Amino acid sequence: MFFSKLRKDIAAAKRNDPAARNKFEIWLTYSGVRALIWHRRAHVLYKMHLKLLARMVSQWAKFRTGIEIHPAAKIAPGVFIDHGAGVVIGETAEVKEGVVIYQGVTLGGTGKEKGKRHPTIERNVTVSCGAKVLGGFTVGEGARIGAGAVVIKPVPPYATVVGVPGRVVRINGEKAQDLIPEKDDPIVKELCALRERVFELEERIARIDFPKEDDREDL
């Protein structure tokens, strides 16, 4: 069982990383693969109720790889963590097969929920570098999360999400229909206020009676 999962993890790395040369090199040097090896050991200990020992193993893996995965997180075989520095995966997170996670990604919570407070990432999702997926919702199969995006609500399958907060801009490669900004978006509010102020200033300038050029020469 352990070796079959390891083979799938190595195959995922070889499939998704053009720089990968051979399976032996991946096994020895890829921090994402090493972190998953340690996580699977910690997860077994956690299910055996050896929680302190499980946390010690996960912290050792964090020290060695720079990737922090809670031992209770459920990660399917065939997941690829590319580079991986700064990746954090929370306690109730679930990551399905075929997911690709880049450096700096957080699969976390908002600190307000109880129970299922970390996201479920469905099959073949790509989470780009620096993205934050926060909450106990689901990111649908085949979705793509853009670099630096902050996702705080469910993502439909095969959608592309970008921005802060994250917005769906494409679904199945086509532009999403509901791209009207949310009413409570503070950035939109600020832009609207600035635009109104510019209009007001332009009207005030237009009402000012500037002296004509001939009059300025007489002065």
Side-chain angles (χ1 to χ4, degrees):
M1 180 68 72
F2 172 80
F3 289 104
S4 65
K5 291 179 179 180
L6 177 59
R7 282 195 294 269
K8 288 186 178 181
D9 292 340
I10 292 174
K14 197 169 191 308
R15 181 172 61 250
N16 289 285
D17 186 2
R21 295 189 298 177
N22 57 70
K23 295 180 180 180
F24 188 68
E25 180 184 58
I26 292 170
W27 175 59
L28 284 179
T29 65
Y30 275 50
S31 59
V33 173
R34 304 301 300 175
L36 290 174
I37 292 172
W38 285 106
H39 169 70
R40 301 199 194 288
R41 294 169 178 168
H43 188 66
V44 170
L45 293 171
Y46 194 90
K47 291 196 296 184
M48 294 171 61
H49 302 288
L50 301 173
K51 296 184 179 180
L52 176 59
L53 188 56
R55 288 305 299 266
M56 291 173 64
V57 171
S58 69
Q59 289 303 301
W60 171 253
K62 175 187 174 184
F63 172 74
R64 293 297 301 271
T65 66
I67 299 169
E68 182 172 0
I69 307 175
H70 193 284
K74 299 177 181 178
I75 302 180
V79 170
F80 178 44
I81 302 177
D82 193 6
H83 298 294
V87 168
V88 178
I89 301 178
E91 178 183 7
T92 60
E94 297 181 45
V95 183
K96 304 296 181 65
E97 186 175 352
V99 171
V100 179
I101 298 173
Y102 290 91
Q103 67 269 20
V105 166
T106 299
L107 305 182
T110 62
K112 300 177 181 178
E113 308 98 335
K114 295 182 179 180
K116 182 71 168 78
R117 60 190 186 278
H118 301 101
T120 295
I121 312 297
E122 293 291 348
R123 292 167 54 91
N124 301 320
V125 171
T126 298
V127 189
S128 299
C129 57
K132 314 299 177 187
V133 186
L134 308 175
F137 52 83
T138 298
V139 177
E141 181 177 354
R144 299 175 64 87
I145 309 300
V150 178
V151 184
I152 54 175
K153 58 185 180 181
V155 177
Y158 304 103
T160 300
V161 178
V162 299
V164 181
R167 292 197 184 95
V168 175
V169 294
R170 289 184 179 273
I171 297 178
N172 284 320
E174 298 181 359
K175 289 186 177 180
Q177 298 299 317
D178 55 343
L179 294 180
I180 300 175
E182 297 181 12
K183 295 180 180 179
D184 295 331
D185 190 326
I187 298 176
V188 174
K189 285 183 177 180
E190 186 69 21
L191 289 174
C192 290
L194 289 172
R195 185 174 61 182
E196 291 176 1
R197 180 62 174 165
V198 169
F199 288 160
E200 179 186 346
L201 291 173
E202 287 178 345
E203 291 178 354
R204 291 175 61 181
I205 291 172
R207 289 196 298 267
I208 296 176
D209 187 15
F210 289 106
K212 295 180 181 180
E213 186 176 348
D214 295 339
D215 296 337
R216 289 200 299 269
E217 288 178 355
D218 294 339
L219 296 174

